Amino acid sequence: MSGIVLKTGIYGMARVSSISTERLRFGWDRGLALGVASALLGVLYALMEHDLKRLLAWHSIENIGIILIGFGAALMFRALGQANLPRSL
């Protein structure tokens, strides 16, 4: 259930960013930094955990961090005027 809620929040962020490009033009650095921090901390805490439920919770936080890294990178490319660059890679 929590995975659905997390993915719905990310979907909402993607929808809002596709509608309003000018307001979110300068938020890509914060999104990218939050994604990197969430991914790294999620992995580190998951490595130390022995309880399976808590391990899966930290793993889902790490997955959301990876999604936020991609989301922040997409906003960065859009802000720099290179929106088609990720498609060509």
Side-chain angles (χ1 to χ4, degrees):
M1 184 71 154
S2 68
I4 295 170
V5 173
L6 290 172
K7 300 292 189 301
T8 304
I10 296 295
Y11 176 74
M13 287 175 57
R15 291 291 290 189
V16 167
S17 73
S18 67
I19 294 170
S20 61
T21 57
E22 288 300 317
R23 286 190 298 153
L24 294 176
R25 186 174 173 185
F26 303 106
W28 62 267
D29 55 348
R30 283 175 249 136
L32 199 57
L34 183 66
V36 168
S38 176
L40 287 177
L41 289 175
V43 167
L44 292 176
Y45 279 108
L47 285 174
M48 294 185 297
E49 196 59 55
H50 297 291
D51 184 24
L52 187 60
K53 284 184 181 181
R54 294 184 80 174
L55 174 77
L56 290 174
W58 286 115
H59 182 65
S60 66
I61 290 172
E62 181 258 339
N63 281 335
I64 292 299
I66 292 172
I67 292 170
L68 282 176
I69 290 171
F71 187 68
L75 287 177
M76 177 184 65
F77 286 131
R78 187 188 302 173
L80 296 175
Q82 300 291 329
N84 293 328
L85 184 64
R87 294 179 193 154
S88 64
L89 295 177

